[in-house]
Amino acid sequence: MRTFFIRRIFYSVITLVILATTIFGLVRLTGDPAYLLAPEGATEEELQSIREDIGTDKSLPLQFGTFITDLARGDFGTSFQNGQPVRDLYFDRLPNSLLLVAAALAFALVVGIPAGIISAVYNGRWMDTVSKVVALTGMAIPGFILAFAMMFVFAVQLQWLPVFGIGSWKNLVMPAIAVGWYFAASTLRLVRSSMLEILDADYVKLARLKGMTERKVVLKHAFKNALIPLITLTGVNFVVMINVATVIELVFTWPGLGSLLIEGIRGRDFPLVQGVTIMAGIMIVFANFTIDMIYAWVDPRIRLNR
Amino acid sequence: MRKLWALLLAFVLVAAACGGDDDDTTTDPTADDVSAEETSDTTEADQVEVQDVESDQAGVAGETVVGDPTPTDRGPEPSGTLDYAWHTAFSPRWFDPSVNTSSVSQFATQYILHDALVKSMPGRPFFPSLAEEYTVADDFTSVNFVLREGLTFHDGSPLTTEDVKFSFENYSGSGASTLQDMTREIELVDDRSVTFHFNGPFLDFMLLYGSTATGAGWIVPSDYYQEVGAEGFLEAPIGAGPFRFVENQDNVNIVYEAFEDYWRKNPGVQTINFNAITDAATRYAGLSTGELDLANVMTSDLLETIESDPNVDLVPTTAVPFWIEFMGYQDPESPFNDIRVREAVTLALDRTAINDGETGGGGEATGQWIPRQQQGALPAEPIEQDLDRARELMAEAGYADGFDVSALTPLPPYFSLGERVIQMLGEIGIRTELVQMDRGEFLAQVNNGTDANFEGIVVNISGAGGDAAVRVRNFAACGGAASRVCDPNIDEPFAEYEASTDPVEREELLNQIQQYIIDEHIFPYVYTLGLNMAQGPDVEQPGNEVWAQIPQYVYPGPWEDITVSG
């Protein structure tokens, strides 16, 4: 287990170093940010002064060295556009993203799990058909279309919910559904397929033969076992959702990490883009690492094979 | 249902045009004062135009310009909340006037939070604000300002000449090097009187110091600024403007409250919620539900819906002109080296059709490449499309069958404008293709002068403040930061202009240069952009008294004059 742990740590660090190097290079392909910070008609001296202020006047190896050593200290630098430390900007926005994703995930599970169970239990009947249609539309309809449809109905027409902003539970409803919609559909599909497989298993049949009620068979024997892949998916989804809610954040003016990244990209804000991307990478690497560790702990064969 | 489709369509189109959303986080001069969003379709609302500058109000040498007296009756107490939607991402740098890049976005915040000795106000381009009066010396070698009595910052500390001196010396934004290089000494005569002494005659001082050309004349509290530092100032800015800073929520919602000691009057509203909402459909929805009172820039897809919405008034405003630049036209090998070809391009454009197509007639079809609002701009003559004459000119120049041009690049995201121009040039045989460049890259190339990596034709626009001379200096004079022109017929009179201390002579020289550029068709005028703003029913002033009241500034203001009901 120890060797496996050390090897996974090593792989994780390598992944992050590759990510940091790649993002460092990619953002610099977008051009000179000094032009976007300078007033119109700025002289070369003024542009050079801006480059000196933000550190892009130095050679690329030197910039990279500074970037890596700062990164090792947990310093992502100062945003070119905002003049604020990227770490502060990131951690100011992170709770908003976590809140949105937690709500979206709750929505996805509350909708996806019961629908998946019903769909499996009533396989081939009308409720299954309805569930499959829900799953299909959930996977097919882009979140922003749903966002605007909800905005039109619940904010503009009915005026039950606010159009934009953050602060009350009412602000959270539409963004959470818009983000969680796709994941609700994928949860439904996963639960349905797992349940179908398990409901056909011998031990479930035996439970029925022993006279157990169908309700107990489904919830106690089948669903419990169907939860394992769902937990894995939920963990990965949680990390992914934090970083992919960009469009929904923009529609509802939700101050999360996705919109922060967009601001950085548009302003050639190298430290901001680097910081947000690397933090996203750390989250994903950490999630994968944790899952690997749990698997290895649960099933020792994994650590022997890998 | 139409509203829903409008919301969806607006988002899809804007997302397509802008690469995912319609916001713009850059601080480049055109990004914020000329919106990244396109507008179209006709509107019935009264057109609001950016106010013209009266050139004689900067101060005549030797005469004292006296401001409005500080009122004794401060008017009604502030009441209500004004919810405002800005259309791009917000940058906290806008809190700090010392880094003003002459961006109108930044001025929108400065007019809320800060105040200047002299600034542009409705109908009063060089309005003495914190200054009770100012006097330009006979020989333009100094300017004296006298502060109003009893001025304070939001924290209650007195505003003194020390703050004026510090603010100027600490200023590093647009025009800083010119202003500071020309200034020999700032003499603090007493707590209320300060004199700027220059190295020589400095005729442009008031233009740079007292208009939206730069942010140098805006005053920050020197002790506080030095105590907290520039970074700390962005966290908790203090100014002397009509509203004080309360809170910045993640650079998305900025809350201000009325400063009841503001010298000019009691602000009309108690609270301003400044919301950075980058999506136009969301801004419109916010207005429709009453969550917003004012919102910038409505996209073309929303206009029909807005016009049928009783809760929302559309307020069209005109901004600044687009013009054409011919890359490498001074190379004898270039077809555009021939003035007849350039004139043919001028005559090929149907400006009314462009205006109707792009902004539903909300812009202007008459003008020249320098905005008419800018001091010193020559009045523009209408230019009618004349395809027959354009084709004759092409034939006379030896291009009866036309020719190919490698590219036409418009400022992103005005690609539909580029397509219209391409179609019209095609009518006279100039065949070219649209190039869609990244907006940041385009702006970088524009400011790259003769090293710009453009080919063929560029459709350019600039929202920067200043006067006609600033435009010439930047875009038409040899060596100008955004200039790809080196023409002695421009450079020689412009050198004389720069050296002259005679305002009459300067005006004549500037007119001569502008006329030359027009006659030589160096920068053919395309049309003047229109921007559609919108407001809700709770705002007590009509739209044409809220928007574009301040010279060269299309957004709401002065903020202290706006009131809301309910």
Side-chain angles (χ1 to χ4, degrees), chain B residues 13-91:
Chain B
L13 291 177
V14 170
C18 303
D21 65 76
D22 58 337
D23 100 278
D24 198 319
T25 62
T26 62
T27 56
D28 67 83
T30 53
D32 27 43
D33 39 351
V34 178
S35 166
E37 302 178 76
E38 297 170 271
T39 56
S40 73
D41 299 343
T42 51
T43 64
E44 293 172 2
D46 292 337
Q47 186 80 6
V48 181
E49 295 167 353
V50 180
Q51 290 214 344
D52 289 352
V53 172
E54 295 168 38
S55 59
D56 61 349
Q57 293 192 9
V60 177
E63 287 183 12
T64 296
V65 178
V66 180
D68 293 348
T70 306
T72 49
D73 177 10
R74 298 181 48 76
E77 294 293 310
S79 68
T81 298
L82 181 75
D83 291 292
Y84 175 53
W86 187 258
H87 63 296
T88 70
F90 176 83
S91 168

Side-chain angles (χ1 to χ4, degrees), chain B residues 259-301:
Chain B
F259 176 44
E260 294 183 7
D261 289 330
Y262 183 56
W263 75 267
R264 189 168 163 246
K265 63 192 294 192
N266 277 330
V269 298
Q270 180 59 36
T271 306
I272 294 178
N273 277 318
F274 185 109
N275 302 285
I277 302 178
T278 57
D279 187 76
T282 308
R283 291 196 294 277
Y284 162 63
L287 282 172
S288 186
T289 60
E291 287 171 64
L292 291 171
D293 298 304
L294 301 171
N296 288 359
V297 190
M298 296 291 122
T299 48
S300 58
D301 325 277

